[in-house]
Amino acid sequence: MRFHKECLYCKKELVGRTDKKFCDPQCKSGYQYQKAKEQPERFYDKVNNQLKLNRKILKEFNKGGKVTVRTEILKDIGFNTNFFTHYWKNQKGDVYFFVYEYGFLKKVEHGIDKFILIKWQDYMLKKTPLGL
């Protein structure tokens, strides 16, 4: 008895084993990709994608080690200040937020919102009495 089955991806008739689902590896890959795209984006993926975007933006704009940029420029290309990996407080009490090795501090100068962009330095690593 012959079963007429079709490929789950391209719908072509399958030839060969009775439990075969795809006609070739490309159809199998395409089917799995299509199914993955139908799934809602996971929270972890959203956070990770925004962190990657934030880091990319900070890296692109901070070529000199310390740079001042208008807030609107970064936000217009997708920078989101709510996503950061850690923070560092300097001796003046300013809190820099970091996305991995790139940091930013929000300042208002002459009524204009700006970010001061910096790169992580070894001296920023604060040692506790236990060396942690």
Side-chain angles (χ1 to χ4, degrees):
M1 185 168 158
R2 177 84 177 120
F3 292 102
H4 295 285
K5 289 179 71 177
E6 57 184 32
C7 175
L8 293 176
Y9 187 67
C10 70
K11 307 299 182 200
K12 289 181 185 174
E13 185 178 342
L14 295 174
V15 178
R17 294 176 23 192
T18 57
D19 62 341
K20 195 173 184 181
K21 295 180 184 179
F22 305 99
C23 53
D24 58 34
Q26 289 78 18
C27 280
K28 182 177 180 180
S29 179
Y31 180 80
Q32 290 170 342
Y33 179 77
Q34 183 182 43
K35 284 293 184 193
K37 291 300 273 182
E38 292 171 1
Q39 298 295 321
E41 189 176 26
R42 297 180 316 180
F43 178 74
Y44 167 82
D45 293 331
K46 288 180 186 179
V47 171
N48 196 41
N49 289 338
Q50 185 62 55
L51 284 172
K52 284 195 261 184
L53 178 61
N54 280 359
R55 182 187 179 277
K56 179 182 173 185
I57 291 169
L58 291 174
K59 181 180 180 183
E60 182 65 31
F61 279 87
N62 190 0
K63 299 285 187 193
K66 184 176 182 182
V67 180
T68 303
V69 181
R70 288 181 180 224
T71 305
E72 65 192 46
I73 293 172
L74 299 185
K75 287 187 175 183
D76 285 348
I77 56 175
F79 186 77
N80 187 334
T81 58
N82 295 324
F83 292 84
F84 57 91
T85 55
H86 60 288
Y87 64 90
W88 172 72
K89 188 175 184 178
N90 68 9
Q91 292 176 344
K92 296 178 190 174
D94 297 327
V95 178
Y96 287 84
F97 295 96
F98 280 82
V99 181
Y100 303 107
E101 74 273 30
Y102 296 99
F104 62 96
L105 170 70
K106 189 170 185 178
K107 285 280 187 181
V108 178
E109 293 179 356
H110 308 292
I112 299 171
D113 290 334
K114 296 182 179 182
F115 287 130
I116 298 174
L117 308 182
I118 62 171
K119 193 168 180 185
W120 182 264
Q121 303 294 318
D122 288 336
Y123 73 84
M124 297 174 179
L125 188 59
K126 191 177 192 180
K127 301 242 181 201
T128 63
L130 297 176
L132 301 174

